[in-house]
Amino acid sequence: MALLAVVGPTGTGKSDLGIAIAQHLAATGHPAQIINVDSMQFYRGMDIGTAKLAPEERGGIVHHLFDYLDVTDESTAAQYQELARPLIEALQGRGITPILVGGSMLYIAAVLNDFEFPGTDPALRARLEAELLEVGPVTMHGRLARLDPVAASRIIPQNGRRVVRAIEIVEMTGQPFAAALPDEPVEWQPSLQIGLNGPREDLVARLEARVHKMWRLGLVAEVEGLIEVGLRDAKTAKRAIGYAQALAQLDGEVTEAEAIADTVRLTQKYARRQMSWFRRDKRINWLDYRDETKTTQAIALVEEHLRAESARA
């Protein structure tokens, strides 16, 4: 059975393209369902700041792995791999084509590529997390840069959780951060990856407008509601771009204009990091999100892939 993925930087229309592909397959007698690979959309209540599609916006297509975590839960790529792979195989066993849709790089790699995550050392992890609280994520990132420059280049300094995990793996194994996408990845199973991207200047403007829209739609009020269910105590969710800035605004640490500006800057930086990651994977078939024929092009790629899979079977 086939496995499809729609990937690329944030704000490029991956969700809509995934739905269009699934609807086309369903119309031609090949049922398809979508599996979310946006790690912040795993969280219940984190809707506006993650651009999560409401159920009525999902085109009648079944979507999986949304809203299955509380904001106080920690999200890891290893955990996601354990959830997503059995789901993919179960769908394929029922004759349904799974379509992974999202831009969380390590999570996508964890499913599509054949590698295992190292375990954890509770004592070492506790020590590193204590150090993180003492010196902060930027200092810890500098330490990672000395231990493993490649891993450090792929993790933003503000992401203390990822930094700690990378240092833990390096210290446990004596090897570079093993969860990074290898230069020549080995497939878990044959798949077709379709990527959406466009000119940098266009995406920069698009992302800025998207952030302003989130504030207009009520992101700050959404964050206020999430505080009541534990957002301040969260390890992962409270650091999400937009949510951290809205929290700072609510706490009076920054003005609304400053919160929005910082979110725009970090969102644009994140999109650059996504493209740096995805660009290394030569298996991805890139389409321009501005191209009115992108859906037709994507469907042609999918049909070709399905024919090849059928011939292989």
Side-chain angles (χ1 to χ4, degrees):
M1 284 294 294
L3 174 60
L4 311 177
V6 179
V7 305
T10 187
T12 52
K14 297 182 294 294
S15 297
D16 289 341
L17 181 60
I19 289 171
I21 292 171
Q23 289 174 330
H24 170 80
L25 289 176
T28 57
H30 298 91
Q33 296 181 9
I34 287 173
I35 300 174
N36 170 47
V37 205
D38 181 324
S39 62
M40 291 300 108
Q41 293 186 354
F42 300 159
Y43 291 99
R44 283 183 287 272
M46 292 179 65
D47 302 331
I48 296 172
T50 66
K52 186 187 297 174
L53 293 181
E56 63 271 16
E57 297 173 318
R58 297 175 188 175
I61 302 300
V62 175
H63 283 58
H64 299 273
L65 298 184
F66 285 87
D67 302 320
Y68 69 90
L69 294 178
D70 293 325
V71 292
T72 51
D73 292 332
E74 187 171 3
S75 169
T76 68
Q79 174 201 58
Y80 180 78
Q81 184 188 71
E82 292 177 356
L83 290 171
R85 286 187 173 178
L87 173 59
I88 288 168
E89 291 174 331
L91 291 175
Q92 290 172 330
R94 293 162 49 200
I96 297 169
T97 298
I99 308 175
L100 297 167
V101 178
S104 293
M105 300 88 75
L106 187 56
Y107 289 74
I108 294 166
V111 174
L112 294 183
N113 299 324
D114 188 17
F115 63 76
E116 297 182 1
F117 289 89
T120 187
D121 181 328
L124 174 59
R125 172 68 70 90
R127 175 170 64 78
L128 292 173
E129 288 184 343
E131 289 180 27
L132 176 65
L133 289 174
E134 181 179 349
V135 303
V138 175
T139 298
M140 293 292 282
H141 189 269
R143 176 176 167 186
L144 176 62
R146 293 188 293 274
L147 290 170
D148 187 347
V150 174
S153 72
R154 297 173 183 174
I155 302 173
I156 60 173
Q158 293 80 9
N159 193 334
R161 184 181 64 86
R162 286 280 311 279
V163 171
V164 162
R165 175 58 174 156
I167 295 174
E168 179 189 21
I169 290 173
V170 172
E171 293 197 4
M172 281 173 52
T173 66
Q175 300 294 325
F177 182 35
L181 182 66
D183 290 333
E184 294 185 6
V186 177
E187 288 188 317
W188 170 58
Q189 62 171 257
S191 64
L192 169 69
Q193 294 187 66
I194 298 172
L196 287 176
N197 195 26
R200 180 176 173 180
E201 62 276 10
D202 187 83
L203 185 56
V204 163
R206 186 180 176 111
L207 293 175
E208 180 172 8
R210 190 187 204 201
V211 169
H212 282 275
K213 181 180 179 182
M214 288 174 177
W215 251 261
R216 290 196 306 272
L217 290 174
L219 177 59
V220 175
E222 179 172 280
V223 170
E224 281 186 299
L226 291 170
I227 291 172
E228 297 176 4
V229 294
L231 182 64
R232 291 191 187 279
D233 300 322
K235 287 186 176 181
T236 305
K238 73 176 180 183
R239 296 189 175 93
I241 297 173
Y243 289 85
Q245 288 69 34
L247 271 173
Q249 179 185 331
L250 286 168
D251 291 341
E253 297 173 2
V254 298
T255 65
E256 177 175 286
E258 290 169 336
I260 291 172
D262 196 37
T263 303
V264 168
R265 178 182 64 82
L266 290 174
T267 302
Q268 293 169 343
K269 184 176 182 179
Y270 179 57
R272 290 196 299 272
R273 218 160 46 83
Q274 286 175 300
M275 272 313 303
S276 176
W277 175 287
F278 288 124
R279 197 176 287 121
R280 299 196 312 272
D281 193 336
K282 305 306 180 186
R283 299 168 299 179
I284 298 175
N285 299 269
W286 289 104
L287 303 176
D288 190 329
Y289 64 74
R290 304 166 306 159
D291 192 333
E292 294 181 357
T293 68
K294 64 181 179 296
T295 301
T296 302
Q297 295 177 59
I299 287 171
L301 288 168
V302 168
E303 290 180 340
E304 180 182 354
H305 178 71
L306 292 177
R307 285 193 295 270
E309 285 299 297
S310 178
R312 197 186 340 255

